[in-house]
Amino acid sequence: VSQRLQHTLRSGDMVARLGGDEFVLVLSGLQSQEHMLPLVVKIQQSLSQPYFLSGHQLQVTPSIGISMYPKDSLSIHDLLRHADTAMYSVKTGGRNGYSFYDSSMDVTTKERLELESIIRTGLDQQKFFLEYQPQVSGDNQQIFGVEALLRLHGKDGLIPPDTFIPVAEETGQILALGEWVLREACMQAKAWQDMGWKPVVMAVNISAVQLQRIDMVALVSSVLAETGLAARFLELEITERVIMGDSAELIDTLEALRTLGVRLALDDFGTGYSSLSYLKAFPFDVLKIDRSLVQGISTSADDLAITEAVIALGRSMKLEVLAEGVETPEHVRILLEKGCKHMQGYNFSRSLSPAALGKWLMPN
C-alpha cells in the first residue's frame, strides 16, 4: 500500500503511515474540492487493484477522509482530526469511498466516541445483560430452546444491538463481550437445569471477529467445563456472511466444535450470497430462515417461494429448519403447512428475563 501511494502522488506530496492500516497524505497546491477529486479517484483505483502476496490474491478498498486548509482549520492538529472524522464517516456509511469534512460530522463522531466508551466500560459497570427468546414447536408450542440476546443500557434507555454490536466488532471489544455472553448464557442454562426446570438448548451468536482472532474451540471447551453445562445443550449461531470465505481453517474450527458435542446453526440464511456448496462443506445442524423472509410469507409470493425452497433444502440435507420472526398465527399456519415446525418470534414470546422464562421452563 505504501508503494502504491508513493507512485500515485506527485513530487512534493507527503505520505506517512500512522500505524495499523491508517495513512496520512499531505497534498499541496490543491485549491478546491474539484481540484482534489482526480487525485482521490486515482488513489482509490490504485489501492483497489488486487494484491498478490505469497501466491494469494487479496483485495482491499480504502476509506478516505479529507480536510482542507484553510477552510476547515488553520491548525495542523485540527486538520488531522477533521480528516479522521471524515474517514470514519465513510466507514460507517459502508466503506470504500471518500468524504470531505463537514462540521456536522462532529456530532456523529461525538456520539460514536460516547458509544465506544459505553461499550468499553459496559461489562465492569454491568450495563450489559442477557434476555432469552423461546424457540418452540409451532404445532404444540412446546419450548425446546432459547436464544441468548445481548442488551445494553445507555444513558437514555436501551441501545439497539444493530447499533452497538458493529461498533464493538470494529473496536475489538466484541472479544471480551462475546466471551462474557458465552459464559453467562451457559451458566444460566445450567442454573435452570439445577433448579429442576426443563433442559433446553441455549443458542449463542458468535461474531466473525471471534472466529478470526481467538481459539473458539479452547474457549468453548473451557466455558463448558467451568459451568458444567453438557455440550449438547449449547448451540453456536454463525451468520451466513461469516462463512463466505469458505476457508479450510474455519471448517476445521467448526468440525472441532462439533467434536466437542456442540450444535451449530447457520443464521440469517437467505439474506447473503451463499451457494449450496457452503451447506455441503460446513458441518451445520440447524438452518435458520431469516426474519426478513418469514415476515413476508403471507403477503409476498417471492418470500413464500424462497422460504418454501429453504425448508425443502434443509430437510433434504437432514438439517433442522427454524424460522425466525414468526409474528402471527398466519405465519405459523403457513410454516407448518410447508413443513417447518421449529419457530421463534413474537407470536409466541418476546425476549424475556431469566425469571420470566419460568412459565416456559417450570415443570407442568
Side-chain angles (χ1 to χ4, degrees), residues 328-339:
T328 68
E330 181 68 1
H331 289 163
V332 176
R333 183 191 67 77
I334 294 172
L335 289 166
L336 288 174
E337 183 181 284
K338 301 303 179 182

Side-chain angles (χ1 to χ4, degrees), residues 112-130:
R112 160 80 181 218
L113 291 173
E114 288 177 350
L115 180 54
E116 287 184 18
S117 177
I118 292 172
I119 294 170
R120 189 165 50 252
T121 60
L123 286 177
D124 291 338
Q125 297 181 3
Q126 298 183 327
K127 293 178 180 177
F128 285 105
F129 65 99
L130 294 181

